[in-house]
Amino acid sequence: DEDILVLRDSGAAVVSCPESNMKLASGIAPLEKICSAGIPVALGTDSSASNNNLDMFGELATGAKVHKASTLDPTALPAGKIIEMVTSGGAGVLGMQEECGLLKSGMLADIIIIDLNKPHLTPRYESNSLLTYAATGSDVKTSIIGGRIVLENRLIQTIDLQETIDKVNEMAKKIRSAI
């Protein structure tokens, strides 16, 4: 609790990476207390070194569920709050809340289009819960970043995917041989 006050008084922001924290046994950030203190909070994936899949939808589900499990409270960190952490919360921790983080006229926007016609996304009762607990990164059909379509019909438009995979695998070989 003292640390939360120090964070608040310093003007710091928090990016929680629950899957990485679980993998590294770093503990669970008390996000509801941090939010209640007025500290800006975002959700992240950390890096591929400590979170192998970098799937923000997985992070949403894990972030919401781990707080319910750790507090034994099924109402802890509701889906709408955790969705906020990956949208306006991300903008807030970067100090960019006046520029992005909301779909609003005049603001920058990165947009994803999700293919909802899938068994695991059926039935659809409430959007925040559906996105938090059922959707995965593989459900994203189109991604628009800064007005540019970078993923269309699940095909990357901006890079040669196989070439990139090959380069990363070569880099991994060099890293393995250096260790």
Side-chain angles (χ1 to χ4, degrees):
D1 290 342
E2 285 182 34
D3 291 338
I4 292 172
L5 296 176
V6 170
L7 285 169
R8 183 198 65 206
D9 294 345
S10 72
V14 171
V15 178
S16 178
C17 303
E19 289 186 0
S20 174
N21 291 350
M22 289 188 330
K23 184 176 178 185
L24 299 174
S26 300
I28 300 167
L31 294 184
E32 287 194 304
K33 286 183 179 182
I34 293 169
C35 289
S36 293
I39 300 168
V41 177
L43 207 63
T45 61
D46 206 358
S47 73
S48 58
S50 60
N51 178 347
N52 301 74
N53 65 22
L54 303 178
D55 183 346
M56 281 304 296
F57 287 99
E59 213 66 46
L60 281 168
T62 300
K65 291 175 194 171
V66 75
H67 287 86
K68 291 170 184 356
S70 68
T71 62
L72 301 177
D73 178 1
T75 66
L77 207 55
K81 183 63 179 171
I82 202 142
I83 291 285
E84 182 182 302
M85 289 178 186
V86 299
T87 56
S88 60
V93 301
L94 295 172
M96 297 177 67
Q97 61 274 14
E98 300 301 318
E99 300 166 47
C100 61
L102 298 171
L103 286 177
K104 185 176 170 184
S105 180
M107 295 186 99
L108 300 171
D110 296 341
I111 299 168
I112 58 172
I113 299 171
I114 298 171
D115 180 1
L116 295 174
N117 193 27
K118 297 194 176 180
H120 69 279
L121 299 176
T122 305
R124 293 183 290 278
Y125 295 115
E126 200 278 322
S127 297
N128 288 329
S129 289
L130 183 76
L131 293 173
T132 300
Y133 300 114
T136 67
S138 63
D139 296 321
V140 176
K141 183 177 178 179
T142 301
S143 181
I144 305 166
I145 300 174
R148 182 175 177 203
I149 297 173
V150 297
L151 179 77
E152 186 171 27
N153 293 319
R154 300 217 22 86
L155 296 173
I156 297 175
Q157 304 296 304
T158 56
I159 61 170
D160 181 319
L161 182 59
Q162 191 56 55
E163 178 184 329
T164 303
I165 290 170
D166 293 344
K167 284 181 182 179
V168 170
N169 283 330
E170 278 303 311
M171 292 169 60
K173 284 180 191 175
K174 289 177 184 176
I175 291 169
R176 274 194 302 275
S177 67
I179 297 177

